[in-house]
Amino acid sequence: MGMIIVDAARNSTTYFWGERTSTIDWCEENYVVSNYIAEFWNSITNSIFVALALLGMHTTIKHRQGKRIFACYAALMFVGCGSVSFHATLKYTTQLLDELPMLYLCGLVIYALVEINKETRYGIKAPLILIAMQAAITAIYVFWIQSPVFHQVAFALTAFGGVGCGLKRLKEMQLSNRTKRILGRLHLLGHVGMWGGFLVWNLDNVFCHRLRSYRAHVGTPLDVFLQLHGWWHILTAYGSTYLLLWVHFIRLARLGHDHLFTIKYRLGFLPYIAMKTPKKID
């Protein structure tokens, strides 16, 4: 399902990162904007992952909301950083840094939902099982089935597993109408971001040659709006963040603190969980 576009002239050793070794090359023309960044727009659009993740990490520290939720936001930042390194270099090693953290993020989300209470229930068993599963998928992908399709299927199944765990937790709790509205909105926006991103990702793959022609026709700066893989990054960054906020708010509801919190936006476009009162909780 990934694109391999042969940009022979722009994959030569004359460019900063040399010849492409990744198994995937996306629709953005290589080394057009900068001789030091292979896919410029595909690289910088990942900054939204980092911004949203840092805001979530700050929230969990400020309100002392647990290492498990903090780890999920940290993993989201790692996803963005790995994607930057991949699109900037188009090397196989950095491709793994782009792809594998997505799986690990989903694994952390599942763990945060399984061990949703303040005190852990399953001890060392739950993390060991999840680590073993992630390690098995990683080993199969790196040493056996080195196909992006395998990674995409494994990621999708793990992501659906995380959503399923969240829905199961919701059925176990009695929620106020306000909390139901907040969770419903977060869940909806998360899926809109993820499925919207998946749509433009496929459009970028299927209609790449046409998009390249259109970009050449409209020229700079309008061509940036036709960099659909970059829009995939933006949409999935928001989709992932809204789903993490959904998980975060589920845990607040489980601990009985949901009435103290709401969703706010920093700078008008960066969503985060904020307290309705200045009081901090343990």
Side-chain angles (χ1 to χ4, degrees):
M1 295 173 70
M3 289 298 295
I4 298 181
I5 307 299
V6 181
D7 281 341
R10 297 192 180 96
N11 279 322
S12 69
T13 55
T14 58
Y15 285 88
F16 185 78
W17 295 105
E19 186 175 0
R20 172 178 62 84
T21 59
S22 63
T23 62
I24 305 175
D25 192 353
W26 303 100
C27 190
E28 181 180 353
E29 298 85 347
N30 298 339
Y31 294 106
V32 169
V33 177
S34 170
N35 286 335
Y36 302 98
I37 302 176
E39 295 178 345
F40 181 82
W41 298 111
N42 286 351
S43 297
I44 67 168
T45 48
N46 283 292
S47 60
I48 192 65
F49 276 101
V50 178
L52 290 166
L54 285 173
L55 189 55
M57 293 162 67
H58 171 73
T59 299
T60 57
I61 293 173
K62 180 179 180 180
H63 301 303
R64 304 172 192 164
Q65 290 172 349
K67 296 177 181 178
R68 281 159 266 175
I69 297 297
F70 179 88
C72 291
Y73 286 116
L76 181 66
M77 184 177 68
F78 192 26
V79 168
C81 292
S83 188
V84 170
S85 65
F86 168 45
H87 289 290
T89 64
L90 292 179
K91 296 295 185 179
Y92 179 66
T93 51
T94 55
Q95 178 183 336
L96 295 178
L97 290 178
D98 172 44
E99 295 172 332
L100 293 176
M102 297 163 61
L103 288 167
Y104 305 151
L105 168 59
C106 293
L108 283 169
V109 167
I110 291 174
Y111 177 68
L113 288 166
V114 169
E115 294 287 16
I116 196 169
N117 299 313
K118 185 173 292 187
E119 301 297 329
T120 59
R121 179 180 178 183
Y122 299 103
I124 196 66
K125 292 181 181 179
L128 283 180
I129 291 172
L130 287 169
I131 289 171
M133 291 175 60
Q134 299 291 346
I137 294 172
T138 300
I140 292 171
Y141 184 48
V142 173
F143 299 109
W144 185 23
I145 307 177
Q146 296 177 336
S147 167
V149 175
F150 172 79
H151 164 264
Q152 291 154 11
V153 171
F155 166 69
L157 292 175
T158 311
F160 284 132
V163 172
C165 286
L167 293 174
K168 182 177 183 297
R169 285 302 186 193
L170 288 178
K171 290 181 179 180
E172 299 170 354
M173 296 184 289
Q174 295 293 326
L175 303 173
S176 68
N177 289 333
R178 173 185 174 273
T179 296
K180 288 179 181 178
R181 287 194 299 269
I182 291 174
L183 288 171
R185 184 167 64 251
L186 291 174
H187 195 222
L188 174 63
L189 290 172
H191 280 281
V192 168
M194 297 302 292
W195 290 108
F198 184 65
L199 173 62
V200 297
W201 181 76
N202 278 285
L203 291 174
D204 191 61
N205 290 349
V206 174
F207 300 106
C208 178
H209 294 292
R210 290 187 184 182
L211 288 167
R212 286 184 168 188
S213 176
Y214 296 156
R215 289 199 292 261
H217 178 72
V218 300
T220 306
L222 295 178
D223 60 332
V224 68
F225 293 103
L226 297 174
Q227 297 287 358
L228 297 190
H229 195 83
W231 286 106
W232 144 261
H233 290 155
I234 294 170
L235 288 168
T236 53
Y238 274 99
S240 300
T241 299
Y242 277 118
L243 289 175
L244 280 184
L245 291 172
W246 180 66
V247 171
H248 192 163
F249 217 88
I250 289 174
R251 186 167 192 267
L252 289 173
R254 180 74 169 205
L255 298 178
H257 299 151
D258 50 310
H259 64 286
L260 297 173
F261 291 88
T262 188
I263 304 298
K264 293 185 179 180
Y265 288 83
R266 186 67 55 85
L267 303 176
F269 65 94
L270 299 174
Y272 68 104
I273 288 179
M275 289 196 74
K276 296 168 64 178
T277 63
K279 179 184 175 182
K280 291 185 179 181
I281 62 172
D282 293 328

